[in-house]
């Protein structure tokens, strides 16, 4: 995987540049961190210096790594630097790889041809860097400098995907502004810190690399890091605090051009919308009607942001027919408010952007904006920018996050949780022939979070959707996707299938691996050691009902027997029932899994492993039929 270096207004992920390369000798090639991290590529050091002035933040970043395996070759030879293109200037990108050849160090320098500039979106600029002649045994170095003229905070990550022997950062202010370091480290005793006047230095040593695990919200949330947050600005002899608490953030956001445009332009926008909106019978119908109206009128440009492009008004956004995620929901909030519904904008960070930082009002931690509506004591969290318009289900990329509701009288954190079970119900009528052919009819009923992912894949390429939906050895015919007008009411898939190799004919016996098409490939908790808490994303019910008809002259010799297991409080339950019908000529199997709780500490991984293992054991059992 690539080692990723990201920095922009809110987050700077690390790597390198100081004025000169640090000295290096052949002996450095024996430094591999093997005592703490055997047989792994390692960062020998990572360091950064930041200097804040009234003009902005000047930063230099530098790293050195020793590559000891092929994984390191792939990850540590390629980097990218991404930043807001308007406010950040990146200069002085330098890189080199060093290889030891018969006691002599051979140096290969990064050339301009190995640095590529791209624009991944309307707000960002990106430098992609490929270091030359990197192989197992190489030492690689990379450094650059940047200037950020509009940064409220900047973060340094002590921890990477590979082990780090030493990571250090210093932050110096010239006195024109004050910054507060916010540490996010599980074991604070491992951080060495030193403060001298306006200079703060922090470092950590022997930091293990982070490994990906299933069911983790965002791996970067668990990286050891420090954020330097702007808390005050000095004008002459007077000091002014910057967002001292969350109430002040709320007040400023509602008054400034970021959100304050709502009050300024709501009446004009409402007048325009009234020409197309009908009368509504109830407040809930009014909310749904306005939500669908905005969803249809404004297309999402596929970028997350709560800033308005070029400061345009909600009327401008509406008339343009396109907007970023925050702009669309600003229009939604404006129309809902002007229609008399109690509505508030709510700032949030998507899951891949990171979890909420509550210790200090860091506004640039957010990358998205929603609408919170209150009707008759019930709250609705709306996002009109999503492709499929759900009002009862928060977007899946927001689950587990917390939104900051900009209610001037009662600002608060609002947890984003699904309120209903998602459901997948599969009903299959299958018939076996004496030579092992299988044919039948399948109906799948989907409600909740699987609906949007299926619809998106289906609408991208209908033919490919069906080609890869099941195992390629299965022939599908008469397939159809039935989508209800209101996607929140679900959708269904219907199809016929046929296979000549799904079941095996062995003399007087037939062997049928029923769950071949639908079971997990392996237990998701097969790893014996877990580093991070577990998040199963959303509660769901999965229910599969199979009716299998034996061929003429055959009976069911053996088949999986019943089980019923669950976690304490039935947080997760698994049921497997089988019964013979029609004088033993038909076998009915029902396989059910219900997940009601989604968050678990890492210590519960073994408990989850066991219940998934029992489910997989049943699904791996073979059905055997015998000729009479």
């Amino acid at each position: 995987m690539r080692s990723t270096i990201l920095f922009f207004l809110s987050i700077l992920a690390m790597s390198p540049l100081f004025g000169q390369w640090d000295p290096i000798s052949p002996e450095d090639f024996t430094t591999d961190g093997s005592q703490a991290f055997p047989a792994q590529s390692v960062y020998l050091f990572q360091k950064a210096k930041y200097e804040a002035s009234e003009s902005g933040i000047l930063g230099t970043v530098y790293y050195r790594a020793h590559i000891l395996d092929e994984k390191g070759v792939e990850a540590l030879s390629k980097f990218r630097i991404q930043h807001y293109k308007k406010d950040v200037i990146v200069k002085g990108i330098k890189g080199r790889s060093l290889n030891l050849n018969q006691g002599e160090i051979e140096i290969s320098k990064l050339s301009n041809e190995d640095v590529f500039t791209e624009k991944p979106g309307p707000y960002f600029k990106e430098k992609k860097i490929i270091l030359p002649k990197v192989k197992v045994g190489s030492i690689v170095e990379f450094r650059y400098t940047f200037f950020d003229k509009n940064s409220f905070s900047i973060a340094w990550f002590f921890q990477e995907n590979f082990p780090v022997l030493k990571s250090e950062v210093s932050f110096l202010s010239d006195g024109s502004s004050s910054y507060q370091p916010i540490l996010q480290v599980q074991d604070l005793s491992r951080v060495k810190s030193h403060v001298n006047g306006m200079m703060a230095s922090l470092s950590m040593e022997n930091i293990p690399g982070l490994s990906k695990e299933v069911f983790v919200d965002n791996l970067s949330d668990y990286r050891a890091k420090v954020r330097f947050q702007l808390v005050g600005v000095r004008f002459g002899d007077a000091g002014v605090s910057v967002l001292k608490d969350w109430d002040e953030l709320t007040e400023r956001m509602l008054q400034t051009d970021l959100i304050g445009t709502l009050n300024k332009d709501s009446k004009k926008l409402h007048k325009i919308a009234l020409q197309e909106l009908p009368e509504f019978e109830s407040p809930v119908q009014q909310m749904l009607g306005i939500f669908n109206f905005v969803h249809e009128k404004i297309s999402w440009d596929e970028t997350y942001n709560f800033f308005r492009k070029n400061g345009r008004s909600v009327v401008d956004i509406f008339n343009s027919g396109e907007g970023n995620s925050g702009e669309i929901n600003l229009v939604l909030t404006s129309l809902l408010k002007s229609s008399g519904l109690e509505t508030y904008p709510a700032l949030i960070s998507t899951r891949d952007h990171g979890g909420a930082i509550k210790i200090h009002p860091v506004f640039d931690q957010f990358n998205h904006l929603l609408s919170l509506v209150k009707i008759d004591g019930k709250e609705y969290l709306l996002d009109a920018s999503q492709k499929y318009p759900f009002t009862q289900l928060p977007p899946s990329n927001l689950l587990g996050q917390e939104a900051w509701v900009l209610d001037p009288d009662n600002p608060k954190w609002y947890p984003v949780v699904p309120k209903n079970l998602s459901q997948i119900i599969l009903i299959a009528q299958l018939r076996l022939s004496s030579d092992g052919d299988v044919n039948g009819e399948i109906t799948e009923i989907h409600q909740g979070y699987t609906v949007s992912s299926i619809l998106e894949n289906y609408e991208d390429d209908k033919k490919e959707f069906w080609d890869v939906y099941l195992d390629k050895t299965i022939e599908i015919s008469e397939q159809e996707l039935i989508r209800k007008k209101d996607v929140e009411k679900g959708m269904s898939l219907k199809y016929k299938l046929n296979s000549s190799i799904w079941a095996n004919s062995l003399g007087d016996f037939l062997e049928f691996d029923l769950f071949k098409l639908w079971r997990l490939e392996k237990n998701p908790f097969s790893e014996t050691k877990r580093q991070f808490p577990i998040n199963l994303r959303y509660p769901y019910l999965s229910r599969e009902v199979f009716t299998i008809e034996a061929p003429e002259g055959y009976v069911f010799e053996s088949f999986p027997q019943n089980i019923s297991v669950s976690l304490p409080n039935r947080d997760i339950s698994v049921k497997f029932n089988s019964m013979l019908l029609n004088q033993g000529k038909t076998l009915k199997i029902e396989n059910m899994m219900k997940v009601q709780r989604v968050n678990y500490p890492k210590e519960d991984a073994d408990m989850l492993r066991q219940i998934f293992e029992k489910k997989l054991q049943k699904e791996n059992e073979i059905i055997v039929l015998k000729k009479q």
Side-chain angles (χ1 to χ4, degrees):
M1 291 184 58
R2 293 186 176 186
S3 175
T4 301
I5 307 157
L6 298 173
F7 70 89
F8 37 96
L9 273 177
S10 60
I11 296 179
L12 168 76
M14 62 277 144
S15 267
L17 174 88
F18 284 52
Q20 301 291 331
W21 298 116
D22 282 7
I24 193 166
S25 68
E27 288 72 28
D28 290 306
F29 286 82
T30 64
T31 305
D32 57 11
S34 59
Q35 291 183 349
F37 313 108
Q40 295 184 61
S41 297
V42 296
Y43 288 94
L44 300 176
F45 61 74
Q46 298 182 136
K47 52 187 178 180
K49 291 182 179 180
Y50 303 136
E51 296 181 4
S53 67
E54 60 183 8
S55 301
I57 294 178
L58 177 66
T60 61
V61 188
Y62 179 6
Y63 89 80
R64 176 182 289 174
H66 195 183
I67 295 177
L68 301 172
D69 54 14
E70 290 297 334
K71 184 179 178 182
V73 173
E74 174 63 22
L76 297 174
S77 62
K78 303 172 185 176
F79 298 90
R80 64 188 177 102
I81 306 170
Q82 190 181 89
H83 60 87
Y84 273 129
K85 62 184 181 181
K86 287 180 63 176
D87 300 321
V88 180
I89 300 170
V90 178
K91 296 180 66 177
I93 297 175
K94 303 291 183 182
R96 62 180 188 171
S97 61
L98 302 97
N99 292 288
L100 196 61
N101 185 7
Q102 296 182 351
E104 298 293 327
I105 298 176
E106 296 180 348
I107 299 176
S108 301
K109 295 182 180 180
L110 178 71
S111 67
N112 292 334
E113 289 74 23
D114 295 323
V115 180
F116 307 91
T117 300
E118 296 185 359
K119 294 181 180 179
Y123 306 104
F124 294 99
K125 198 171 183 179
E126 183 173 89
K127 299 282 189 182
K128 289 188 176 181
I129 297 96
I130 302 175
L131 296 177
K133 296 185 179 180
V134 178
K135 60 184 179 181
V136 174
S138 297
I139 287 178
V140 294
E141 296 187 299
F142 183 66
R143 55 188 172 98
Y144 63 89
T145 189
F146 69 91
F147 181 72
D148 188 341
K149 65 181 180 181
N150 190 26
S151 181
F152 284 86
S153 66
I154 199 163
W156 173 257
F157 288 77
F158 295 106
Q159 196 168 23
E160 261 285 10
N161 292 345
F162 289 89
V164 181
L165 299 189
K166 186 170 184 178
S167 181
E168 56 185 318
V169 59
S170 65
F171 192 98
L172 174 65
S173 173
D174 67 355
S176 63
S177 55
S178 300
Y179 284 79
Q180 174 185 337
I182 301 173
L183 272 169
Q184 293 175 269
V185 179
Q186 291 187 7
D187 184 1
L188 291 175
S189 66
R190 296 196 57 197
V191 180
K192 296 178 182 179
S193 61
H194 177 71
V195 178
N196 182 11
M198 303 300 290
M199 167 76 80
S201 301
L202 302 99
S203 65
M204 292 183 70
E205 296 183 358
N206 295 326
I207 312 153
L210 288 182
S211 300
K212 280 192 173 181
E213 291 181 338
V214 295
F215 302 123
V216 173
D217 288 349
N218 183 337
L219 197 61
S220 289
D221 286 342
Y222 302 98
R223 294 188 192 277
K225 55 184 172 287
V226 61
R227 176 188 290 267
F228 297 96
Q229 175 66 37
L230 181 66
V231 295
V233 178
R234 180 167 294 281
F235 297 97
D237 295 330
V240 179
S241 66
V242 176
L243 301 179
K244 64 179 183 295
D245 56 34
W246 285 99
D247 288 348
E248 184 178 347
L249 178 141
T250 301
E251 182 181 355
R252 291 198 184 186
M253 291 294 287
L254 291 173
Q255 291 178 352
T256 65
D257 285 343
L258 295 177
I259 305 295
T261 183
L262 287 174
N263 298 326
K264 178 181 177 183
D265 301 308
S266 287
K267 289 183 179 180
K268 186 175 180 181
L269 177 63
H270 185 66
K271 185 177 180 180
I272 295 172
L274 277 179
Q275 300 174 20
E276 299 185 53
L277 287 170
E279 294 289 331
F280 298 104
E281 296 180 359
S282 69
V284 171
Q285 289 301 315
Q286 185 179 31
M287 177 191 72
L288 295 175
I290 293 173
F291 174 84
N292 288 320
F293 174 74
V294 173
H295 181 267
E296 292 171 3
K297 288 291 184 180
I298 311 177
S299 299
W300 181 38
D301 66 7
E302 299 189 1
T303 63
Y304 285 102
N305 212 317
F306 64 87
F307 290 99
R308 291 174 293 116
K309 288 181 283 189
N310 302 317
R312 53 187 192 156
S313 70
V314 288
V315 174
D316 294 333
I317 298 166
F318 180 82
N319 287 334
S320 74
E322 183 183 73
N324 63 40
S325 63
E327 288 179 320
I328 293 171
N329 289 320
L330 273 176
V331 171
L332 174 63
T333 302
S334 177
L335 282 175
L336 291 169
K337 281 174 66 70
S338 61
S339 298
L341 297 176
E342 185 180 358
T343 310
Y344 305 99
L347 297 170
I348 195 167
S349 171
T350 57
R351 288 167 66 105
D352 56 357
H353 189 64
I357 303 169
K358 298 183 178 181
I359 192 172
H360 191 86
V362 181
F363 88 88
D364 55 356
Q365 66 177 290
F366 304 110
N367 70 329
H368 190 25
L369 182 139
L370 305 172
S371 298
L372 181 72
V373 188
K374 296 182 180 181
I375 301 175
D376 296 332
K378 188 174 181 180
E379 295 178 324
Y380 301 84
L381 195 64
L382 305 181
D383 183 359
S385 69
Q386 57 183 319
K387 186 172 184 178
Y388 300 102
F390 289 94
T391 58
Q392 302 298 317
L393 286 176
S396 60
N397 67 338
L398 301 180
L399 292 178
Q401 303 292 85
E402 291 189 69
W404 181 251
V405 181
L406 298 172
D407 177 350
D409 299 320
N410 184 31
K412 63 179 181 179
W413 287 105
Y414 187 93
V416 181
V417 295
K419 299 175 182 177
N420 302 307
L421 281 177
S422 292
Q423 296 188 47
I424 307 172
I425 298 173
L426 183 146
I427 302 170
Q429 302 278 346
L430 302 176
R431 293 169 293 277
L432 296 174
S433 70
S434 57
D435 57 5
D437 286 350
V438 182
N439 65 80
E441 298 79 40
I442 307 290
T443 297
E444 296 181 25
I445 302 169
H446 294 259
Q447 287 186 317
Y449 284 106
T450 60
V451 172
S452 56
S453 60
I454 288 177
L455 286 176
E456 189 162 354
N457 291 331
Y458 179 79
E459 292 176 358
D460 283 347
D461 191 325
K462 295 179 177 61
K463 182 179 183 303
E464 184 178 355
F465 173 84
W466 288 110
D467 286 346
V468 302
Y469 190 66
L470 295 178
D471 190 287
K472 288 191 175 182
T473 63
I474 306 298
E475 179 184 334
I476 294 178
S477 61
E478 298 183 33
Q479 62 269 34
E480 61 176 327
L481 183 150
I482 303 170
R483 173 184 174 177
K484 297 181 180 179
K485 185 176 181 180
D486 183 355
V487 292
E488 295 202 67
K489 294 181 179 178
M491 52 149 286
S492 60
L493 299 171
K494 291 187 176 182
Y495 50 93
K496 291 184 177 181
L497 56 77
N498 182 73
S499 174
S500 60
I501 60 174
W502 192 358
N504 295 321
S505 178
L506 304 170
D508 291 339
F509 293 90
L510 284 174
E511 292 185 347
F512 183 33
D513 185 3
L514 172 62
F515 291 97
K516 173 184 176 181
L517 302 183
W518 293 286
R519 63 173 169 250
L520 294 172
E521 292 184 5
K522 68 174 186 177
N523 191 325
F525 298 99
S526 57
E527 298 294 331
T528 56
K529 188 176 180 181
R530 181 86 189 185
Q531 296 184 74
F532 309 114
I534 298 157
N535 180 276
L536 300 179
R537 302 207 72 172
Y538 53 83
Y540 67 88
L541 170 66
S542 171
R543 183 168 173 257
E544 300 161 342
V545 182
F546 300 92
T547 303
I548 307 158
E549 295 180 16
E552 188 69 32
Y554 282 78
V555 294
F556 290 93
E557 175 82 357
S558 64
F559 48 86
Q561 298 302 301
N562 299 351
I563 63 165
S564 180
V565 294
S566 64
L567 297 185
N569 302 317
R570 304 190 68 80
D571 291 332
I572 298 179
S573 55
V574 170
K575 286 185 179 180
F576 192 99
N577 295 318
S578 57
M579 66 177 72
L580 289 173
L581 306 171
N582 192 23
Q583 298 179 334
K585 295 180 181 179
T586 302
L587 176 63
K588 183 178 180 180
I589 290 179
E590 183 172 352
N591 184 24
M592 187 274 289
M593 185 172 195
K594 189 175 185 180
V595 175
Q596 300 188 92
R597 174 187 163 202
V598 297
N599 291 308
Y600 299 85
K602 64 181 182 180
E603 291 77 16
D604 285 353
D606 187 59
M607 183 171 62
L608 292 167
R609 183 183 306 112
Q610 292 179 36
I611 197 166
F612 273 88
E613 194 60 38
K614 290 182 183 295
K615 175 178 171 64
L616 281 172
Q617 285 174 0
K618 281 296 164 187
E619 293 175 350
N620 278 293
E621 291 184 25
I622 302 297
I623 298 171
V624 178
L625 298 89
K626 183 179 179 181
K627 189 174 183 179
Q628 291 181 309

